[in-house]
Amino acid sequence: MASRRISSFLSRSFTSGSASSLFSRGNNSSLARGISRYSSTATAAAAAEVPIVPSISVNHTQLLINGQFVDAASGKTFPTLDPRTGEVITNVAEGDVEDINRAVSAARKAFDEGPWPKMTAYERSRIMLRFADLVDKHNDEIAALETWDNGKPYEQSAKVEVPMFTRLFRYYAGWADKIHGLTIPADGEYHVHTLHEPIGVAGQIIPWNFPLLMYAWKVGPALACGNTVVIKTAEQTPLSALYVSKLFHEAGLPEGVLNVISGFGPTAGAALASHMDVDKLAFTGSTDTGKVVLELAARSNLKPVTLELGGKSPFIVCEDADVDQAVELAHFALFFNQGQCCCAGSRTFVHERVYDEFIEKAKARAIKRTVGDPFKEGIEQGPQVDSEQFEKILRNIRSGIEHGATLEAGGERFGSKGYYIQPTVFSNVKDDMLIAKEEIFGPVQSILKFKDLEEVIHRANNTRYGLAAGVFTQNINTANILTRSLRAGTVWINCFDVFDAAIPFGGYKMSGHGREKGIYSLSNYLQVKAVVTPLKNPAWL
């Protein structure tokens, strides 16, 4: 498959019985049916409180160091929770400073002495391709772990994210034997060429909102370039990374090349960021944490850092828009993945001529959105990842109400168990309101009115963030003006969240440094060396 688009999730429906081999159902026979719509709160809440039990065992809960699953040096573990209920799924080894040291030591030895950087690029490519094939074979189990640990709809995990994961690794496998330098003409009798060399041990810290995809975005290019890796998973979602890393070793990955540490940011994450023997660091997460990571890297060995951070992306609906289509796309841009997406279209700017119609239809679409157990058929929105995120979103909703925004839909928790929140829509939002400035990272749509392009360009850019933007218009001139005026790393025109493996992703301003995916990501994991040799009586220069 040439490419996959997360946005294609919009047009898909959950096939009845498609998950029957992975899930067992509770005693309540109503669980066999799709959850009722959000307007039928009592029925939907009851369904959400009796979760489907995935019939998959969790077998990998230890740290992966030097090709072996081992306990944390301290013997400590921590619980990873089911966001549908807040109950413990399992306990996972809690990595700390000593475990980071062990993992970095293994990665260093594998880089300096081991076969990975000395292996032919073609053989590295073959191992990565075998790994992708193994993931394909275990698609449903991996998707079930991802949904159970994170709360995202199973259909999204199984039909979009796991296939995209393997697409990304096949893409980077294709790059492994195509990384090369240049021959450079120089003044004088010299032969000059450049070598593109692996940078060494790559430390990587990934977030909880897309655990598998962020793993692929970082591990894929690092390994293709010949580096070794120590990756710290998010404490909320450690399970899928451990599972797929086991498959990587089954595919023939040498010991020490990929090490996985589950643990917390202030301990394991800080130790990795400040480690003197880590040659490069990549981090995805909040802007505030990114600042800490960058400081730790600078204070240690000045290791280069790529950062993919927060966003408050504008989604601009112009006066010529087809309102029905714009409402649906804006809804997807915000509510996808429970709103837990760094590039979510969280500031919906709507032209004054279509504003009132847009509000009514956006409200109706939010009320119709199906919320409930993400393992159930037909569910569009599962729970938020944990209690901390849940409470933060509710605080932001209260702030919007208190500061005068009009609550059009939602605004409260959904059901009485787990971390579900009603799809929420605000109108009459002003630029200085907290909900228009801060990254909510939840299912809260803020709709703002604008008059003309000059105004909306200024307001859209008036933010510390610059990760992405969306534009909905039928006018090519309008699209071109906005494309070149919006200070964001990605601008989607009449689409949103298109994440092909070859399309670079990253931010302007405080949304980060560097790019992930595509050819641009390779430079994060390479050193460029110039080699100059004198020539004696050359036939040509």
Side-chain angles (χ1 to χ4, degrees), residues 362-395:
K363 173 183 176 179
R365 180 64 180 91
I367 290 173
K368 190 172 68 171
R369 186 172 182 82
T370 53
V371 183
D373 187 337
F375 284 116
K376 288 185 66 66
E377 299 170 3
I379 291 300
E380 295 177 279
Q381 181 177 313
Q384 310 309 129
V385 72
D386 63 10
S387 60
E388 181 179 351
Q389 189 66 16
F390 174 80
E391 294 296 341
K392 174 192 171 187
I393 295 165
L394 291 178
R395 285 196 303 272

Short mmCIF file of all heavy atoms in Angstrom, two decimals, residues 362-395:
data_model
loop_
_atom_site.label_atom_id
_atom_site.label_comp_id
_atom_site.label_asym_id
_atom_site.label_seq_id
_atom_site.Cartn_x
_atom_site.Cartn_y
_atom_site.Cartn_z
N ALA A 362 -22.20 22.23 13.69
CA ALA A 362 -21.13 21.68 14.52
C ALA A 362 -21.68 21.15 15.83
O ALA A 362 -21.25 20.10 16.33
CB ALA A 362 -20.07 22.75 14.78
N LYS A 363 -22.64 21.87 16.40
CA LYS A 363 -23.31 21.41 17.62
C LYS A 363 -24.02 20.08 17.38
O LYS A 363 -23.89 19.14 18.17
CB LYS A 363 -24.30 22.48 18.08
CG LYS A 363 -25.17 22.08 19.25
CD LYS A 363 -26.16 23.19 19.58
CE LYS A 363 -27.12 22.77 20.67
NZ LYS A 363 -28.07 23.87 21.02
N ALA A 364 -24.78 20.01 16.29
CA ALA A 364 -25.52 18.78 15.98
C ALA A 364 -24.57 17.61 15.77
O ALA A 364 -24.85 16.48 16.21
CB ALA A 364 -26.39 19.00 14.75
N ARG A 365 -23.44 17.86 15.11
CA ARG A 365 -22.47 16.78 14.86
C ARG A 365 -21.86 16.29 16.16
O ARG A 365 -21.65 15.08 16.35
CB ARG A 365 -21.39 17.25 13.90
CG ARG A 365 -20.33 16.20 13.59
CD ARG A 365 -20.94 15.02 12.87
NE ARG A 365 -19.95 13.99 12.57
CZ ARG A 365 -19.65 12.95 13.37
NH1 ARG A 365 -20.25 12.83 14.54
NH2 ARG A 365 -18.73 12.08 12.99
N ALA A 366 -21.56 17.19 17.07
CA ALA A 366 -20.97 16.79 18.34
C ALA A 366 -21.96 15.98 19.17
O ALA A 366 -21.60 14.98 19.80
CB ALA A 366 -20.52 18.02 19.12
N ILE A 367 -23.23 16.39 19.17
CA ILE A 367 -24.25 15.66 19.93
C ILE A 367 -24.43 14.25 19.36
O ILE A 367 -24.71 13.30 20.10
CB ILE A 367 -25.58 16.45 19.90
CG1 ILE A 367 -25.44 17.73 20.73
CG2 ILE A 367 -26.75 15.62 20.38
CD1 ILE A 367 -26.63 18.67 20.64
N LYS A 368 -24.24 14.11 18.06
CA LYS A 368 -24.42 12.80 17.41
C LYS A 368 -23.23 11.88 17.61
O LYS A 368 -23.32 10.67 17.36
CB LYS A 368 -24.65 13.04 15.91
CG LYS A 368 -25.09 11.82 15.13
CD LYS A 368 -25.49 12.20 13.71
CE LYS A 368 -24.31 12.64 12.89
NZ LYS A 368 -24.63 12.80 11.45
N ARG A 369 -22.10 12.41 18.04
CA ARG A 369 -20.87 11.61 18.14
C ARG A 369 -21.05 10.49 19.17
O ARG A 369 -21.50 10.72 20.29
CB ARG A 369 -19.70 12.51 18.54
CG ARG A 369 -18.35 11.79 18.54
CD ARG A 369 -17.22 12.79 18.77
NE ARG A 369 -15.92 12.14 18.72
CZ ARG A 369 -15.26 11.86 17.61
NH1 ARG A 369 -15.80 12.17 16.44
NH2 ARG A 369 -14.08 11.27 17.64
N THR A 370 -20.68 9.27 18.80
CA THR A 370 -20.86 8.12 19.69
C THR A 370 -19.66 7.97 20.61
O THR A 370 -18.52 7.91 20.17
CB THR A 370 -21.05 6.83 18.88
OG1 THR A 370 -19.98 6.70 17.94
CG2 THR A 370 -22.38 6.84 18.14
N VAL A 371 -19.93 7.93 21.90
CA VAL A 371 -18.91 7.84 22.93
C VAL A 371 -19.14 6.56 23.73
O VAL A 371 -20.28 6.22 24.06
CB VAL A 371 -18.97 9.05 23.88
CG1 VAL A 371 -17.86 8.99 24.93
CG2 VAL A 371 -18.88 10.35 23.10
N GLY A 372 -18.06 5.85 24.05
CA GLY A 372 -18.21 4.65 24.86
C GLY A 372 -17.01 3.75 24.78
O GLY A 372 -15.93 4.17 24.33
N ASP A 373 -17.19 2.52 25.22
CA ASP A 373 -16.12 1.52 25.25
C ASP A 373 -15.48 1.42 23.86
O ASP A 373 -16.14 1.08 22.88
CB ASP A 373 -16.72 0.17 25.65
CG ASP A 373 -15.66 -0.90 25.87
OD1 ASP A 373 -14.53 -0.78 25.33
OD2 ASP A 373 -15.95 -1.88 26.59
N PRO A 374 -14.19 1.73 23.75
CA PRO A 374 -13.56 1.76 22.43
C PRO A 374 -13.48 0.39 21.76
O PRO A 374 -13.16 0.32 20.56
CB PRO A 374 -12.16 2.32 22.72
CG PRO A 374 -11.92 2.01 24.16
CD PRO A 374 -13.25 2.12 24.82
N PHE A 375 -13.76 -0.68 22.49
CA PHE A 375 -13.78 -2.00 21.88
C PHE A 375 -15.15 -2.31 21.26
O PHE A 375 -15.31 -3.34 20.62
CB PHE A 375 -13.44 -3.07 22.90
CG PHE A 375 -11.97 -3.15 23.22
CD1 PHE A 375 -11.50 -2.87 24.50
CD2 PHE A 375 -11.05 -3.51 22.26
CE1 PHE A 375 -10.15 -2.96 24.80
CE2 PHE A 375 -9.70 -3.59 22.55
CZ PHE A 375 -9.25 -3.31 23.83
N LYS A 376 -16.14 -1.46 21.46
CA LYS A 376 -17.47 -1.71 20.94
C LYS A 376 -17.59 -1.27 19.49
O LYS A 376 -16.89 -0.36 19.04
CB LYS A 376 -18.52 -0.99 21.78
CG LYS A 376 -18.74 -1.63 23.15
CD LYS A 376 -19.87 -0.96 23.90
CE LYS A 376 -21.20 -1.20 23.21
NZ LYS A 376 -21.59 -2.62 23.25
N GLU A 377 -18.50 -1.88 18.79
CA GLU A 377 -18.74 -1.55 17.40
C GLU A 377 -19.36 -0.15 17.28
O GLU A 377 -20.23 0.22 18.06
CB GLU A 377 -19.66 -2.58 16.77
CG GLU A 377 -19.07 -4.00 16.79
CD GLU A 377 -20.09 -5.06 16.39
OE1 GLU A 377 -21.22 -4.66 16.04
OE2 GLU A 377 -19.75 -6.24 16.44
N GLY A 378 -18.89 0.63 16.33
CA GLY A 378 -19.50 1.91 16.02
C GLY A 378 -19.09 3.06 16.91
O GLY A 378 -19.60 4.16 16.75
N ILE A 379 -18.17 2.83 17.82
CA ILE A 379 -17.76 3.90 18.74
C ILE A 379 -16.75 4.83 18.05
O ILE A 379 -15.77 4.39 17.47
CB ILE A 379 -17.16 3.31 20.04
CG1 ILE A 379 -18.26 2.63 20.85
CG2 ILE A 379 -16.46 4.38 20.86
CD1 ILE A 379 -19.38 3.57 21.26
N GLU A 380 -17.00 6.13 18.15
CA GLU A 380 -16.09 7.13 17.59
C GLU A 380 -15.11 7.66 18.62
O GLU A 380 -14.01 8.09 18.28
CB GLU A 380 -16.88 8.32 17.03
CG GLU A 380 -17.77 7.99 15.85
CD GLU A 380 -18.57 9.21 15.42
OE1 GLU A 380 -19.60 9.50 16.05
OE2 GLU A 380 -18.14 9.87 14.45
N GLN A 381 -15.50 7.67 19.88
CA GLN A 381 -14.69 8.31 20.91
C GLN A 381 -14.65 7.46 22.18
O GLN A 381 -15.69 7.13 22.74
CB GLN A 381 -15.25 9.70 21.24
CG GLN A 381 -14.47 10.46 22.29
CD GLN A 381 -15.04 11.85 22.51
OE1 GLN A 381 -15.30 12.58 21.55
NE2 GLN A 381 -15.22 12.24 23.76
N GLY A 382 -13.42 7.13 22.60
CA GLY A 382 -13.22 6.41 23.84
C GLY A 382 -12.90 7.36 24.98
O GLY A 382 -13.12 8.57 24.89
N PRO A 383 -12.33 6.84 26.06
CA PRO A 383 -11.99 7.69 27.21
C PRO A 383 -10.69 8.46 26.99
O PRO A 383 -9.88 8.11 26.13
CB PRO A 383 -11.83 6.67 28.33
CG PRO A 383 -11.32 5.44 27.63
CD PRO A 383 -12.05 5.42 26.30
N GLN A 384 -10.49 9.49 27.79
CA GLN A 384 -9.18 10.16 27.84
C GLN A 384 -8.20 9.20 28.50
O GLN A 384 -8.58 8.22 29.14
CB GLN A 384 -9.27 11.46 28.61
CG GLN A 384 -10.40 12.38 28.18
CD GLN A 384 -10.47 12.66 26.70
OE1 GLN A 384 -11.52 12.51 26.07
NE2 GLN A 384 -9.38 13.05 26.11
N VAL A 385 -6.92 9.46 28.38
CA VAL A 385 -5.92 8.46 28.74
C VAL A 385 -5.84 8.18 30.24
O VAL A 385 -5.60 7.05 30.65
CB VAL A 385 -4.54 8.85 28.19
CG1 VAL A 385 -3.96 10.03 28.96
CG2 VAL A 385 -3.59 7.67 28.17
N ASP A 386 -6.04 9.20 31.09
CA ASP A 386 -5.93 8.97 32.52
C ASP A 386 -6.65 10.07 33.29
O ASP A 386 -7.19 11.02 32.71
CB ASP A 386 -4.46 8.87 32.97
CG ASP A 386 -3.64 10.14 32.73
OD1 ASP A 386 -4.23 11.19 32.40
OD2 ASP A 386 -2.41 10.08 32.90
N SER A 387 -6.65 9.96 34.62
CA SER A 387 -7.38 10.90 35.45
C SER A 387 -6.79 12.30 35.38
O SER A 387 -7.53 13.30 35.43
CB SER A 387 -7.39 10.42 36.91
OG SER A 387 -6.06 10.31 37.41
N GLU A 388 -5.48 12.42 35.24
CA GLU A 388 -4.85 13.73 35.17
C GLU A 388 -5.32 14.49 33.93
O GLU A 388 -5.67 15.68 34.00
CB GLU A 388 -3.33 13.59 35.16
CG GLU A 388 -2.58 14.90 35.11
CD GLU A 388 -1.07 14.73 35.12
OE1 GLU A 388 -0.59 13.59 35.33
OE2 GLU A 388 -0.36 15.74 34.91
N GLN A 389 -5.32 13.81 32.78
CA GLN A 389 -5.77 14.44 31.55
C GLN A 389 -7.26 14.75 31.63
O GLN A 389 -7.72 15.81 31.19
CB GLN A 389 -5.46 13.52 30.36
CG GLN A 389 -5.69 14.15 29.01
CD GLN A 389 -4.72 15.29 28.72
OE1 GLN A 389 -3.70 15.45 29.39
NE2 GLN A 389 -5.07 16.12 27.76
N PHE A 390 -8.03 13.84 32.19
CA PHE A 390 -9.47 13.99 32.36
C PHE A 390 -9.80 15.26 33.16
O PHE A 390 -10.61 16.09 32.75
CB PHE A 390 -9.99 12.74 33.06
CG PHE A 390 -11.44 12.76 33.45
CD1 PHE A 390 -12.43 12.49 32.51
CD2 PHE A 390 -11.82 13.01 34.75
CE1 PHE A 390 -13.77 12.47 32.88
CE2 PHE A 390 -13.15 13.00 35.14
CZ PHE A 390 -14.13 12.73 34.19
N GLU A 391 -9.12 15.43 34.29
CA GLU A 391 -9.38 16.58 35.15
C GLU A 391 -8.92 17.88 34.49
O GLU A 391 -9.56 18.93 34.62
CB GLU A 391 -8.69 16.40 36.50
CG GLU A 391 -9.25 15.27 37.34
CD GLU A 391 -10.70 15.49 37.76
OE1 GLU A 391 -11.17 16.66 37.72
OE2 GLU A 391 -11.37 14.52 38.12
N LYS A 392 -7.81 17.84 33.79
CA LYS A 392 -7.31 19.03 33.09
C LYS A 392 -8.32 19.51 32.06
O LYS A 392 -8.59 20.72 31.94
CB LYS A 392 -5.97 18.72 32.42
CG LYS A 392 -5.45 19.85 31.54
CD LYS A 392 -4.29 19.39 30.67
CE LYS A 392 -3.92 20.46 29.65
NZ LYS A 392 -2.91 19.97 28.68
N ILE A 393 -8.90 18.60 31.30
CA ILE A 393 -9.87 18.97 30.27
C ILE A 393 -11.11 19.58 30.91
O ILE A 393 -11.62 20.61 30.44
CB ILE A 393 -10.23 17.74 29.42
CG1 ILE A 393 -9.01 17.26 28.64
CG2 ILE A 393 -11.38 18.07 28.46
CD1 ILE A 393 -9.16 15.87 28.06
N LEU A 394 -11.61 18.98 31.98
CA LEU A 394 -12.78 19.52 32.66
C LEU A 394 -12.51 20.91 33.24
O LEU A 394 -13.39 21.78 33.21
CB LEU A 394 -13.25 18.55 33.75
CG LEU A 394 -13.84 17.23 33.27
CD1 LEU A 394 -14.21 16.35 34.45
CD2 LEU A 394 -15.07 17.47 32.39
N ARG A 395 -11.29 21.15 33.72
CA ARG A 395 -10.94 22.49 34.21
C ARG A 395 -10.98 23.50 33.07
O ARG A 395 -11.45 24.64 33.24
CB ARG A 395 -9.54 22.48 34.84
CG ARG A 395 -9.47 21.84 36.21
CD ARG A 395 -8.17 22.21 36.93
NE ARG A 395 -6.98 21.85 36.19
CZ ARG A 395 -6.37 20.66 36.26
NH1 ARG A 395 -6.87 19.72 37.06
NH2 ARG A 395 -5.27 20.41 35.57
#
